[in-house]
Amino acid sequence: MLMLLTAVALATTQQATSTESPFRPLELPPPTPERSASGTPGPRYWQQRADYVIRATLDTAANVLSGTQRIYYINRSDDVLPFVWLQIDQNLFAPGSVAGALSQPPLRFAGGVVFDFSGKGFVGGMTISRFTAGGRRVTPTILGTMMRVELPRALRPDSGVTFELDWRFPIPPYGAGRMGRIGSRFYELGMWYPRMAVYDDVNGWNTLPFLGAGEWYLEYGDFDVSLTVPAGFVVAATGMNANAEATRTRQQRARLARALRSATAVPLITREEAQANATRAVPGTKTWRFIASGIRDFAWAAGPGLRWDASAWDGILVQTFYHPEATSWEPANGMLRHALIHFSEKLGRYPWPQITSVEGLVEGMEYPMIIFCPALEKREDQYWILAHELGHQWFPMQVGSDERRYPWMDEGFNTFTNYDAAESFFKGTPYADTVRRDLLSAYTAAARPGAEQPMITQPTEVRELYWNAYQKPALMLTILRDAVIGREEFDRAFRVYVQRWRSKHPQPADFFRTMENATGRDLDWFWRNWVLTTARLDQAVDSVTTTSGRDTTFIHLSNRAQMVLPVTLELRYDDNTTEMRQLPVEMWLLGSRFTYRVPTAKRLTGVAIDPRHAYPDVERRNNSWGRSR
Ligand SMILES: [Zn+2]
């Protein structure tokens, strides 16, 4: 009887109905044999495989890259594939491309970084001069940056097909911020060869075109790449150099052996040597061969006048290539090594034998085992960009999420880990103590009510991509770790996610489920607030009352906007002492008002919510009562 009365009372006073409750279950795609309800890859998880053998020649007189390529593609799905799709990203610059036709102003990021997807007006694009499938000549259908190939014989489950193709494209000076060249003296080559589109259990063929904003979604495989360049050029690339005898001097090889045992940078090509190499004419060409295993992409850089430093950590070679005038890169090798250790310890050891960073015109771009970063004047900025591009070796190079749809799962997760790395590298400085506050100022500047878009929005439709895909997810994970789950449990669960989905293709639901299962928390409310909607937070102190005997004080709190979060309360007493109280998010289970009882004989003189300003509370004027300081 008593129970029934309580139930009636609850039903009439509770404001949120079950369909409006912030704690209602999230509607996720149902689990499948490929993706389990716990967030792990399921017992029938599968993904396709693509191995590449590429021979490419760099023509520096014409600034044209041409190649002959073999792809061995394995169908591990249960489906028969009558056709396949490939991505030809150079067609971002083809005549009549979507990005070229629309010619939109560039995307602006923090620190003046600009991505111009029109290629600053460059017109080029990929020419495919030959395509064979299983030895039979086929004519591909090219639709913008996507290419469909009808197979002479449909590809059955658990079988493979070999594609062979010849291609060429003029190298843009400015490749939409992700590749390019400086005249005919220096080249950074990404998005340069036709790559298999992903065929998965969620979308089938992933054929969203490359418009500039959303990056890639790629299959894993092995690469064997031979690059023919002018004989005087040095090549830095994904993978390991398989013909060092032919491409490097005896002195460089001896220095490299020394670098492999060194915790500090050993110059393999000194400043003086680089300056001399830059002007020396060397006739002929040289072919560099690189081999890499279990990766999803390949990039490289080449030029005659590069300095080359190397060190090692735990058997992993850490390499930095830069121009003699880029003096801010002299400490870059140590920065890269620090970040490598940091991420390895936090997220799992870096899995490949080397990591390379190349200084040049690209303002920050990641590829497996190689990153392109600019020279930046401020030490903090230089570390940040190196750590950011390096962090991408975990997201998305290891955890192979769909960047075309969900940049927050690579840019965002990575940015979150970058704050930890920067706080560690600059530990003890005011910068380390304050750098993460950027995220809350960004909230005020970028998350404008009515204009903000949910994090889940596809990047091509996002107006504030830096906020939406980088900063907001970093703020989200900071709050999840520090205010909701706790550091140790969060770190453990985040690592579980990385381990489960390494070299695989996670979807958002796989991440949500993994974090909930690994921490034992229901976080549906959290993902809804942060990822699926633009819920805003407004926690308030409504009033403070006491019992007549003044032995109990009641603090009446309310949650005035859609987002729910735990509450941090600072209590101040008439003897001028203060106390902190952490109220868990369950306080809001019964509705948006909560009365907190403080059994104390002391007189309360002030109450403050979120006194350290850790939350993006949109209305701070209602956060305190009485004398808070
Ligand atoms: Zn990034």
Side-chain angles (χ1 to χ4, degrees):
M1 191 61 200
L2 185 67
M3 275 178 63
L4 187 67
L5 265 179
T6 312
V8 171
L10 270 181
T12 49
T13 55
Q14 195 180 335
Q15 291 172 344
T17 67
S18 62
T19 52
E20 288 164 3
S21 163
F23 297 99
R24 67 191 185 277
L26 208 57
E27 280 178 32
L28 294 178
T32 64
E34 286 87 7
R35 293 167 199 274
S36 79
S38 68
T40 57
R44 299 262 300 144
Y45 180 83
W46 55 268
Q47 73 192 28
Q48 311 295 66
R49 180 187 172 107
D51 296 320
Y52 294 81
V53 179
I54 308 171
R55 291 173 176 284
T57 302
L58 176 64
D59 176 349
T60 54
N63 284 313
V64 165
L65 188 66
S66 56
T68 289
Q69 176 175 336
R70 195 167 75 223
I71 308 172
Y72 185 58
Y73 183 72
I74 303 176
N75 179 17
R76 285 175 173 159
S77 77
D78 284 342
D79 306 329
V80 175
L81 304 178
F83 53 84
V84 298
W85 285 92
L86 290 91
Q87 318 182 52
I88 34 176
D89 302 303
Q90 283 301 320
N91 276 0
L92 186 67
F93 313 114
S97 82
V98 174
L102 296 180
S103 184
Q104 287 301 289
L107 206 62
R108 291 179 188 284
F109 284 74
V113 172
V114 163
F115 280 77
D116 186 339
F117 301 135
S118 76
K120 296 184 178 166
F122 179 81
V123 179
M126 182 72 91
T127 303
I128 309 277
S129 54
R130 182 179 69 101
F131 201 112
T132 69
R136 303 252 302 269
R137 191 85 182 226
V138 290
T139 306
T141 304
I142 294 171
L143 299 165
T145 61
M146 300 305 296
M147 172 163 76
R148 188 183 65 237
V149 175
E150 308 284 343
L151 301 179
R153 261 196 16 227
L155 186 60
R156 304 197 56 79
D158 284 317
S159 54
V161 60
T162 300
F163 303 122
E164 287 191 20
L165 51 159
D166 295 340
W167 49 259
R168 69 200 307 273
F169 69 89
I171 303 167
Y174 174 83
R178 297 194 178 84
M179 48 100 53
R181 61 181 167 85
I182 300 172
S184 299
R185 303 293 294 164
F186 177 67
Y187 298 81
E188 288 178 297
L189 291 155
M191 48 188 265
W192 58 282
Y193 62 98
R195 301 179 283 189
M196 294 305 302
V198 171
Y199 185 78
D200 67 20
D201 57 299
V202 179
N203 298 297
W205 285 108
N206 285 267
T207 56
L208 289 178
F210 179 46
L211 300 180
E215 280 169 351
W216 297 297
Y217 186 29
L218 298 159
E219 302 288 16
Y220 287 86
D222 295 347
F223 283 71
D224 180 345
V225 179
S226 298
L227 304 163
T228 300
V229 299
F233 276 35
V234 169
V235 178
T238 299
M240 295 301 280
N241 185 203
N243 62 341
E245 300 269 317
T247 53
R248 291 164 178 177
T249 65
R250 184 190 296 268
Q251 188 183 43
Q252 284 167 1
R253 281 179 276 140
R255 289 171 177 174
L256 185 62
R258 198 148 54 80
L260 270 166
R261 298 186 305 271
S262 176
T264 52
V266 173
L268 273 67
I269 298 177
T270 65
R271 181 195 184 87
E272 294 69 30
E273 288 164 355
Q275 280 163 340
N277 292 344
T279 51
R280 189 170 42 225
V282 186
T285 62
K286 200 183 265 185
T287 298
W288 298 60
R289 185 170 170 217
F290 292 89
I291 286 174
S293 185
I295 51 166
R296 36 167 275 166
D297 200 1
F298 189 104
W300 54 292
L306 292 169
R307 293 178 71 173
W308 178 15
D309 289 344
S311 64
W313 173 71
D314 198 19
I316 302 164
L317 186 65
V318 179
Q319 308 187 84
T320 35
F321 291 85
Y322 53 107
H323 294 91
E325 59 275 18
T327 48
S328 69
W329 267 57
E330 281 165 1
N333 197 276
M335 291 176 170
L336 196 64
R337 190 174 179 278
H338 170 274
L340 179 76
I341 297 170
H342 178 87
F343 295 135
S344 290
E345 287 172 355
K346 279 267 178 190
L347 302 167
R349 188 181 182 273
Y350 179 83
W352 297 297
Q354 68 95 358
I355 177 68
T356 293
S357 185
V358 181
E359 177 271 327
L361 69 146
V362 172
E363 295 193 74
M365 187 58 206
E366 68 280 10
Y367 297 97
M369 301 163 76
I370 188 167
I371 58 177
F372 297 157
C373 301
L376 297 173
E377 222 163 90
K378 268 180 67 187
R379 201 169 124 79
E380 289 83 1
D381 295 344
Q382 191 65 75
Y383 179 84
W384 184 273
I385 190 77
L386 286 162
H388 178 80
E389 306 312 337
L390 178 67
H392 277 303
Q393 301 301 321
W394 281 262
F395 310 105
M397 300 316 162
Q398 290 179 61
V399 183
S401 58
D402 178 350
E403 298 175 79
R404 185 81 28 106
R405 285 183 178 83
Y406 309 118
W408 56 277
M409 292 178 75
D410 72 294
E411 295 298 354
F413 291 5
N414 178 28
T415 302
F416 166 70
T417 67
N418 303 158
Y419 279 97
D420 287 333
E423 284 162 353
S424 157
F425 189 77
F426 293 101
K427 198 176 164 72
T429 68
Y431 172 80
D433 296 340
T434 56
V435 60
R436 204 181 288 259
R437 284 192 206 154
D438 289 355
L439 297 173
L440 284 175
S441 0
Y443 191 96
T444 318
R448 293 186 310 278
E452 195 192 8
Q453 298 166 285
M455 200 185 287
I456 199 87
T457 312
Q458 279 186 20
T460 48
E461 296 175 36
V462 172
R463 294 178 293 269
E464 297 278 356
L465 195 63
Y466 192 62
W467 165 248
N468 215 302
Y470 294 69
Q471 294 175 300
K472 190 174 186 182
L475 179 64
M476 166 177 88
L477 295 180
T478 300
I479 287 175
L480 184 64
R481 181 187 70 184
D482 297 348
V484 179
I485 294 177
R487 191 170 283 250
E488 206 174 306
E489 280 293 295
F490 174 92
D491 286 352
R492 182 187 154 276
F494 202 50
R495 256 181 98 110
V496 167
Y497 168 69
V498 173
Q499 282 160 5
R500 283 180 172 184
W501 291 96
R502 181 174 285 146
S503 305
K504 295 192 172 70
H505 297 315
Q507 291 283 317
D510 301 318
F511 172 69
F512 300 155
R513 286 173 159 141
T514 292
M515 293 303 283
E516 297 197 13
N517 270 256
T519 61
R521 303 290 193 100
D522 168 19
L523 299 169
D524 283 13
W525 55 276
F526 188 84
W527 311 130
R528 176 182 296 108
N529 284 176
W530 285 90
V531 181
L532 305 177
T533 68
T534 56
R536 300 171 80 75
L537 179 75
D538 183 14
Q539 299 178 334
V541 188
D542 291 339
S543 61
V544 173
T545 58
T546 52
T547 50
S548 54
R550 289 193 174 271
D551 54 351
T552 305
T553 300
F554 300 95
I555 303 170
H556 305 281
L557 302 166
S558 65
N559 195 53
R560 297 189 183 178
Q562 309 91 331
M563 179 181 285
V564 288
L565 276 178
V567 165
T568 304
L569 272 187
E570 186 188 66
L571 309 180
R572 183 172 292 272
Y573 298 99
D574 57 355
D575 60 1
N576 227 12
T577 57
T578 58
E579 264 188 298
M580 297 293 283
R581 297 288 171 92
Q582 301 292 337
L583 308 185
V585 74
E586 286 81 355
M587 66 190 288
W588 306 120
L589 279 171
L590 298 182
S592 56
R593 286 175 201 284
F594 183 81
T595 298
Y596 182 56
R597 287 154 40 97
V598 190
T600 176
K602 289 202 282 186
R603 201 167 67 85
L604 201 63
T605 56
V607 175
I609 289 179
D610 187 24
R612 295 197 190 104
H613 293 213
Y615 285 172
D617 193 316
V618 294
E619 178 53 272
R620 300 203 77 91
R621 282 175 303 185
N622 58 27
N623 281 25
S624 55
W625 171 88
R627 207 164 50 85
S628 57
R629 278 278 175 271

